[in-house]
Amino acid sequence: MTNPMTHWAAVVDAERIKLTSLRSPLWATAAAALLSFAVAALQAAASYSGLTVTRAVLGVAVFGVPVLVVVAAMTVTGEYRSGLIRTTLMAVPDRAAVLCAKAVVAAVFSAAAAALMTIGSVVVGRARGTGLWQATGAIALYAALAAVLGVAVAALVRHTAGAVTVLLLWPLLVEPLLGNLPGQGAQIGPYLPFANMFRFLDVSWLFPIYDAPWGRWGSLGYFTAVVVVVFTVAVGTMTRRDA
């Protein structure tokens, strides 16, 4: 009889091999890092008083993590596009375990990449002051949660173009538009998931400062709850429908 923990470890390791054996995730991550560093360098060049740590990591939070989310989504949509998902589900009939393994691998990969991007951006931006490790941990946590969200959305949509559209437009266009609606933004803003995450990160983006009743750590909890709900729906949907 197979040990459940051994079986789970084998499923996770298989997903790790799939992710790291492809060049596209590594190239996309490298491009995200270069973009994040470029944003930090441009901000440093335009600043007379020097950058704070939270300003230096703006590029990672706004541009780097969304690219990592796309990479996470493609671990699912890529298999649907190629038909490999059928082989995967034949080898591991427990679909919930497959999706959870993909989420774990994507979360660890994204967290590690985001942490390195954060440190690199602080160095490139020559940021002053304290808070490097706090910012690194916060953005790594954001990247991990966002990667899980990316896997969930990809499992629901199944198509790369659709998943990428949702995952990029959601934080970069839809939420900023809703949060800045004249007369309504102040009421809608506290309930926008990514707006809450940016509040937790203390990174200024296209959102005003909302009067949310749950505070900074509550904002993290709110975003986490949204991720858990979407992922739970994705697991339930995947276990019910055909590959």
Side-chain angles (χ1 to χ4, degrees):
M1 183 176 180
T2 304
N3 187 311
M5 291 304 297
T6 302
H7 176 68
W8 166 249
V11 176
V12 171
D13 192 50
E15 294 302 328
R16 177 193 62 80
I17 293 171
K18 289 178 188 177
L19 178 62
T20 56
S21 62
L22 297 175
R23 292 184 180 180
S24 55
L26 302 179
W27 281 112
T29 302
L34 290 175
L35 180 59
S36 300
F37 299 160
V39 172
L42 288 173
Q43 288 189 106
S47 176
Y48 294 102
S49 57
L51 298 182
T52 61
V53 170
T54 54
R55 283 192 63 195
V57 301
L58 174 66
V60 184
V62 175
F63 301 112
V65 172
V67 173
L68 294 174
V69 173
V70 170
V71 170
M74 291 177 66
T75 63
V76 178
T77 60
E79 289 201 30
Y80 277 105
R81 184 183 66 252
S82 65
L84 181 60
I85 189 67
R86 294 184 180 87
T87 304
T88 298
L89 296 179
M90 286 178 62
V92 186
D94 187 347
R95 299 186 177 196
V98 170
L99 198 62
C100 289
K102 288 182 180 295
V104 168
V105 170
V108 172
F109 177 84
S110 296
L116 293 175
M117 289 182 200
T118 301
I119 296 170
S121 294
V122 170
V123 172
V124 171
R126 300 187 299 276
R128 300 176 181 178
T130 59
L132 169 60
W133 300 117
Q134 180 180 359
T136 301
I139 290 185
L141 178 58
Y142 169 39
L145 290 170
V148 174
L149 182 63
V151 169
V153 170
L156 291 170
V157 177
R158 292 189 174 188
H159 299 287
T160 300
V164 170
T165 299
V166 171
L167 293 169
L168 292 184
L169 292 186
W170 183 355
L172 298 178
L173 180 63
V174 175
E175 284 202 10
L177 286 176
L178 292 175
N180 287 281
L181 283 175
Q184 300 296 323
Q187 287 72 42
I188 299 172
Y191 302 98
L192 298 174
F194 284 94
N196 274 270
M197 196 65 214
F198 275 92
R199 186 184 183 200
F200 169 72
L201 296 175
D202 194 26
V203 172
S204 298
W205 178 224
L206 299 177
F207 303 103
I209 297 176
Y210 301 116
D211 187 21
W214 37 75
R216 179 171 179 259
W217 288 99
S219 293
L220 172 62
Y222 184 88
F223 184 79
T224 303
V226 170
V227 172
V228 170
V229 168
V230 176
F231 188 77
T232 301
V233 172
V235 170
T237 302
M238 187 172 179
T239 55
R240 288 194 303 269
R241 66 186 181 185
D242 296 334

